[in-house]
């Protein structure tokens, strides 16, 4: 099979002659790259405002800004006075420039028997226009929030774009989230309209979505539900409230004037996990988000017009917002949307898609790579992956084994790995190597993107020396796409991000270290947030869900490292009187988690314990539980109110520390 394999494509990287597993861009990559001169870092550092103003000129403004940046504590602003529209920049811009016939979206359904769909920029613009007009006809106005609860189908992108077009902030909820999670987000955002579907395919099974959507609605302000027909299956229907997407868009004009949005107008709200049980509504505004997403998509992945960009994230996460939808589309490339899972119908599915559509940029999470490793080397080897040019990683620290496997088996030792550090809050990538500059090194993300000021400090806020561990912080001028607030909770916004080191220092909650060259290695969260299979989750959320079960009197959840998923939750449950520990009860507790949050949050183990370690003031000492499940030294427990319980817990978890 001489045509298969991935070693015959262009050589985009060369090894460092002195350092093992270090790679640099090849001449071919330097010539192809938007940026290949490292001087860009110093130039941007000397004048970050000029740097970002120059990048902002790469997109289209209806009205130019009067001031690049305003540095008010908790109220930083970018491109003050500027007017623009995200949908215009994603679509119209390319059509007006004569690129309307280029492919904008490639949709790969899960069933192999179903043909894929492509939409050109012109077709996507028309579809977005029709749906935007239909939303207006339903009464949606600028500033109204719209909930989106859709699977990975083209309409998910159409819906987000249509909202952006009319200035209605969307709030997308991951389709595998439960009805209760959806309800919380609809209530908090005050959404008027919800867009959902009649289901989707997952591992060969037809999955319902509409019953969950219906269940979420009581107590929300949603008065209309738009339903996309994906499956054609029977679904519950409320004739007063529900409308079909295909019916309300039929007959709508394709033209819909994009709303001129102020740079600081709210673009969308996306809920994410903090350390408390209640997810926070991260607010992103229009101008800064547009500029940073556009620039990072272009530079990180070195996007050119003929690229086929495949980001495997769901649109329910920030990665899907920025690098399935807005980033690739603002850059005029083809963005690939895949409906299903990587293991269906077999473990080669992703590589089959790469071969079929000649994907050039592949962007995924370390947890997915570790699954592929487990499935075996034969799967990527079966397919021709020569089209690949850049490989991206996001969501959690990438371990060396995963990096090397990705580099060798997927990239054929030809492609740079761009390990991008960022967060829901930063909206776009912040720390990574640039393809034309390098270096590409396992477990090391790279330098802060030009124009971004990131530092590593100790607990008192003082910078640490090269090689020493510390906390990753961002300093003004803040990244243009950094969140502007938490919806409806300005106090929490200040306390969460600026409580630690003061109003002018954004605390990322990540630990990290920097080498002599200024390359950053992010080691992981230092708060009670877990990264479960690349999904962000608070231990408190899982605790809240379990506590709702009638048998539970008290519960503590901690994270434990997992070979595939990175981290998994482990629960310690104290039962109420009259309840007996049993396997059935464990199953029932898991069902409760599924119902309240979704299956992503399932604990990997549940221990029924008599007691959990507590301080004298009654706070659960999760640090001790964490050490127990990880087999680490438990440390000083003399200050506990109930140190004797630690011995029992050691037996319970089979502690061998
Ligand atoms: C972690 C996902 C190491 C980090 C875009 C961060 C990473 C959290 C990386 C945000 C990376 C993300 N290396 N850690 N390349 N990328 N993280 O909000 O702990 O879902 O704080 O955003 O993921 O997760 P979120």
């Amino acid at each position: 099979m001489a045509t298969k394999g991935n070693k015959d494509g262009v050589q985009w990287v060369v090894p460092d002659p002195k350092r093992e597993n270090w790679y640099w861009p090849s001449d071919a990559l330097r010539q192809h790259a938007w940026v290949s001169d490292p001087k860009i870092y110093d130039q941007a550092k000397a004048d970050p405002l000029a740097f970002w103003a120059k990048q902002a000129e790469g997109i289209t403004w209806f009205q130019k800004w009067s001031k690049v940046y305003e540095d008010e504590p908790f109220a930083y602003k970018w491109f003050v006075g500027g007017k623009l529209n995200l949908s215009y920049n994603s679509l119209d811009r390319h059509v007006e420039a004569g690129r309307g016939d280029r492919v904008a979206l490639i949709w790969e359904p899960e069933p192999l028997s179903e043909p894929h769909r492509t939409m050109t920029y012109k077709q996507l613009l028309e579809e977005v226009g029709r749906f935007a007009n239909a939303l207006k006809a339903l009464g949606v106005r600028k500033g109204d929030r719209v909930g989106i609860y859709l699977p990975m189908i083209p309409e998910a992108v159409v819906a987000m774009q249509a909202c952006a077009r009319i200035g209605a902030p969307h709030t997308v909820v991951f389709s595998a989230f439960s009805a209760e999670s959806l309800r919380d987000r609809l209530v908090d955002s005050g959404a008027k309209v919800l867009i959902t579907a009649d289901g989707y395919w997952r591992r060969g099974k037809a999955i319902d979505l509409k019953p969950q959507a219906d269940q979420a609605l009581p107590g929300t302000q949603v008065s209309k539900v738009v339903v996309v027909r994906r499956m054609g299956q029977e679904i519950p229907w409320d004739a007063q409230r529900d409308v079909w997407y295909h019916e309300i868009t039929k007959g709508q004009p394709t033209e819909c004037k994009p709303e001129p949005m102020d740079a600081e107008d709210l673009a969308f709200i996306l809920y994410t996990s903090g350390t408390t049980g209640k997810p926070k509504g991260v607010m992103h505004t229009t101008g800064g988000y547009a500029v940073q997403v556009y620039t990072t998509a272009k530079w990180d992945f070195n996007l050119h017009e003929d690229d086929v960009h495949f980001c495997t994230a769901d649109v329910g996460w920030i990665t899907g917002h920025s690098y399935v939808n807005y980033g690739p589309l603002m850059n005029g490339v083809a963005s690939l949307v895949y409906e299903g899972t990587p293991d269906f119908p077999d473990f080669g599915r992703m590589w089959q898609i790469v071969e079929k559509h000649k994907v050039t940029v592949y962007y995924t999470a370390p947890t997915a790579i570790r699954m592929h490793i487990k499935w075996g080397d034969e799967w990527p080897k079966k397919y021709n992956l020569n089209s690949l040019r850049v490989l991206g990683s996001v969501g959690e620290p990438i371990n060396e084994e995963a990096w090397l496997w990705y580099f060798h088996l997927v990239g054929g030792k030809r492609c740079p790995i761009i390990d991008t550090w960022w967060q829901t809050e930063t909206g776009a990538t912040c720390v990574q190597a640039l393809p034309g500059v390098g270096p590409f090194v396992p477990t090391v993300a790279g330098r802060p993107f030009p124009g971004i000021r990131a530092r590593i400090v100790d607990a008192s806020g003082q910078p640490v020396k090269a090689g020493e561990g510390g906390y990753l912080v961002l300093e003004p001028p803040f990244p243009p796409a950094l969140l502007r607030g938490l919806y409806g909770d300005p106090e929490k916004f200040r306390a969460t991000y600026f409580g630690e080191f003061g109003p002018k220092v954004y605390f990322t909650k990540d630990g990290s270290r920097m080498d002599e060259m200024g390359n950053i290695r992010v080691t992981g969260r230092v708060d009670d947030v877990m990264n479960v299979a690349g999904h962000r989750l608070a231990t408190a959320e899982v605790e809240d869900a379990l506590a709702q079960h009638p048998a539970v009197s008290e519960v503590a959840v901690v994270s434990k490292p997992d070979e595939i998923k990175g981290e998994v939750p482990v629960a310690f449950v104290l039962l109420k009187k009259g309840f007996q520990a049993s396997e059935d009860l464990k199953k029932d507790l898991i069902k409760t988690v599924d119902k309240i949050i979704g299956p992503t949050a399932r604990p990997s183990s549940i221990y029924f314990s008599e007691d959990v370690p507590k301080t004298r003031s009654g706070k659960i000492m999760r640090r001790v539980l964490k050490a127990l499940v990880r087999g680490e030294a438990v440390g000083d427990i003399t200050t506990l109110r109930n140190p004797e319980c630690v011995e029992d817990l050691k037996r319970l978890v089979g502690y061998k520390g």
Side-chain angles (χ1 to χ4, degrees):
M1 286 199 298
T3 56
K4 301 282 172 176
N6 51 8
K7 295 194 169 56
D8 304 327
V10 182
Q11 192 61 41
W12 298 110
V13 295
V14 291
D16 186 302
K18 291 197 199 77
R19 283 164 291 202
E20 203 193 346
N21 291 333
W22 277 53
Y23 293 86
W24 295 94
S26 65
D27 288 341
L29 180 46
R30 278 186 224 274
Q31 276 155 26
H32 185 261
W34 290 108
V35 181
S36 57
D37 186 348
K39 274 203 214 91
I40 188 82
Y41 288 99
D42 292 333
Q43 286 162 2
K45 196 172 184 176
D47 194 346
L49 303 192
F51 171 82
W52 285 114
K54 176 144 188 262
Q55 304 321 314
E57 281 164 13
I59 64 171
T60 307
W61 297 77
F62 300 140
Q63 183 182 305
K64 202 177 162 170
W65 57 91
S66 52
K67 197 172 169 194
V68 182
Y69 183 66
E70 216 171 272
D71 192 14
E72 288 294 311
F74 316 115
Y76 39 91
K77 295 189 178 83
W78 279 94
F79 310 113
V80 182
K83 302 243 185 253
L84 76 165
N85 183 285
L86 270 170
S87 169
Y88 179 90
N89 273 290
S90 303
L91 306 170
D92 309 56
R93 205 158 92 93
H94 310 304
V95 175
E96 286 169 16
R99 298 191 298 263
D101 291 331
R102 298 199 78 94
V103 174
L105 280 187
I106 302 171
W107 180 58
E108 191 58 43
E110 190 189 82
L112 284 173
S113 55
E114 198 176 325
H116 73 268
R117 246 171 90 183
T118 58
M119 281 168 107
T120 63
Y121 273 92
K122 186 162 171 287
Q123 288 165 336
L124 184 57
L125 173 61
E126 288 175 358
E127 188 65 19
V128 167
R130 265 193 293 268
F131 189 45
N133 284 323
L135 286 175
K136 279 189 178 173
L138 290 180
V140 180
R141 298 283 170 268
K142 181 180 174 186
D144 290 343
R145 276 82 59 216
V146 173
I148 298 180
Y149 187 53
L150 283 172
M152 290 295 279
I153 55 178
E155 288 79 4
V157 173
V158 172
M160 292 167 84
Q161 287 284 345
C163 287
R165 196 159 189 91
I166 61 176
H170 50 68
T171 178
V172 184
V173 181
F174 181 36
S175 57
F177 271 164
S178 67
E180 295 205 24
S181 293
L182 174 60
R183 181 190 303 146
D184 287 348
R185 288 155 173 81
L186 293 174
V187 168
D188 195 79
S189 64
K192 275 172 80 169
V193 168
L194 176 67
I195 305 163
T196 187
D198 67 347
Y200 56 100
W201 287 108
R202 194 167 174 83
R203 291 204 180 87
K205 272 208 272 197
I207 305 286
D208 285 333
L209 202 54
K210 184 65 170 35
Q212 286 89 292
D214 286 354
Q215 219 186 322
L217 295 181
T220 71
Q221 292 183 45
V222 173
S223 56
K224 283 284 166 204
V225 177
V226 181
V227 187
V228 178
R229 181 179 273 164
R230 154 74 184 112
M231 304 297 281
Q233 58 189 10
E234 277 289 305
I235 53 166
W237 197 259
D238 177 337
Q240 297 296 308
R241 188 195 62 199
D242 301 344
V243 291
W244 283 110
Y245 173 96
H246 60 270
E247 283 177 5
I248 60 165
T249 46
K250 199 166 29 178
Q252 286 290 353
T254 55
E255 237 169 81
C256 173
K257 196 176 155 295
E259 187 71 36
M261 302 290 281
D262 193 275
E264 286 298 334
D265 275 342
L266 183 62
F268 63 85
I269 306 169
L270 182 60
Y271 286 82
T272 188
S273 297
T275 46
T276 61
K278 197 172 157 281
K280 316 174 285 193
V282 168
M283 289 161 72
H284 282 292
T285 57
T286 312
Y289 178 81
V291 171
Q292 196 182 331
V293 168
Y294 166 77
T295 312
T296 52
K298 178 170 173 170
W299 288 12
D300 294 357
F301 306 117
N302 199 15
L303 293 182
H304 292 75
E305 252 178 49
D306 51 359
D307 271 306
V308 179
H309 180 90
F310 183 10
C311 166
T312 67
D314 192 280
V315 289
W317 308 103
I318 191 69
T319 308
H321 280 59
S322 302
Y323 301 104
V324 173
N325 179 11
Y326 295 116
L329 295 184
M330 277 193 276
N331 279 285
V333 307
S335 181
L336 197 145
V337 175
Y338 171 49
E339 178 183 37
T341 62
D343 53 357
F344 191 87
D346 62 34
F347 301 139
R349 187 60 199 269
M350 297 315 236
W351 319 128
Q352 177 257 338
I353 293 174
V354 170
E355 178 183 282
K356 176 176 171 188
H357 296 288
K358 298 200 165 49
V359 168
T360 57
V361 179
Y362 188 77
Y363 190 27
T364 197
T367 186
I369 298 165
R370 291 191 296 265
M371 278 193 311
H372 287 293
I373 297 178
K374 197 181 76 176
W375 294 333
D377 296 1
E378 63 270 33
W379 296 101
K381 281 185 179 162
K382 268 194 199 177
Y383 296 92
N384 184 339
L385 308 178
N386 284 338
S387 56
L388 288 172
R389 206 168 46 63
V390 170
L391 303 176
S393 175
V394 59
E396 50 182 318
I398 181 164
N399 50 310
E400 181 149 7
E401 187 198 1
W403 197 100
L404 290 173
W405 189 90
Y406 198 24
F407 183 74
H408 287 266
L409 274 294
V410 182
K413 296 209 274 186
R414 299 183 299 104
C415 306
I417 293 183
I418 308 299
D419 174 6
T420 60
W421 175 88
W422 58 298
Q423 312 177 297
T424 306
E425 289 87 345
T426 68
T429 68
C430 287
V431 178
Q432 72 282 85
L434 293 175
V437 180
F440 317 112
V441 184
T443 77
V444 176
R447 285 157 81 160
F449 195 84
I452 290 182
R453 292 189 60 208
R455 284 222 275 180
I456 300 171
V457 298
D458 63 18
S460 64
Q462 294 307 308
V464 299
K465 288 201 208 74
E468 278 176 19
Y471 304 114
L472 183 63
V473 299
L474 302 172
E475 291 180 347
F478 289 124
L482 191 67
L483 84 166
R484 299 298 196 266
L486 293 177
Y487 196 70
D489 207 344
E491 264 319 301
K492 192 167 178 186
F493 169 62
R494 293 173 186 207
T496 306
Y497 304 106
F498 305 97
E500 208 81 23
F501 302 108
K504 294 247 169 170
V505 181
Y506 169 92
F507 183 23
T508 64
K509 312 282 160 86
D510 275 311
S512 55
R513 59 185 76 231
M514 195 185 272
D515 68 14
E516 306 279 345
M517 284 171 70
N519 292 308
I520 294 176
R521 172 176 174 184
V522 180
T523 45
R525 299 285 295 201
V526 295
D527 59 0
D528 285 324
V529 170
M530 299 174 271
N531 238 311
V532 182
H535 297 165
R536 190 167 149 181
L537 188 70
T539 52
E541 273 175 276
V542 186
E543 288 177 358
D544 272 17
L546 287 167
Q548 293 183 37
H549 190 283
V552 174
S553 100
E554 217 172 336
V555 53
V557 170
V558 294
S559 71
K560 182 182 149 177
D562 180 89
E563 225 184 293
I564 304 286
K565 294 183 173 175
E567 280 181 294
V568 287
V570 173
F572 291 83
V573 171
L574 278 60
L575 294 176
K576 284 189 191 148
K577 271 214 180 75
F579 288 94
Q580 288 296 320
S582 72
E583 283 307 309
D584 280 348
L585 182 54
K586 270 190 196 171
K587 282 187 197 139
D588 211 46
L589 288 167
I590 290 194
K591 255 195 234 156
T592 305
V593 173
D594 282 1
K595 183 169 140 297
I596 294 171
I597 311 176
T600 33
R602 280 184 195 175
S604 72
S605 319
I606 296 178
Y607 296 111
F608 294 111
S609 61
E610 294 293 321
D611 207 355
V612 286
K614 285 188 180 156
T615 61
R616 283 180 208 282
S617 61
K619 276 209 188 97
I620 299 177
M621 286 288 277
R622 291 183 183 74
R623 169 180 73 72
V624 175
L625 294 173
K626 215 167 169 172
L628 286 173
V629 300
R630 290 167 185 237
E632 292 167 358
V634 173
D636 184 14
I637 51 169
T638 51
T639 56
L640 292 182
R641 194 174 67 188
N642 53 351
E644 65 287 351
C645 78
V646 174
E647 283 310 309
D648 294 340
L649 287 167
K650 280 185 179 170
R651 274 192 296 277
L652 187 66
V653 304
Y655 179 76
K656 293 185 206 71

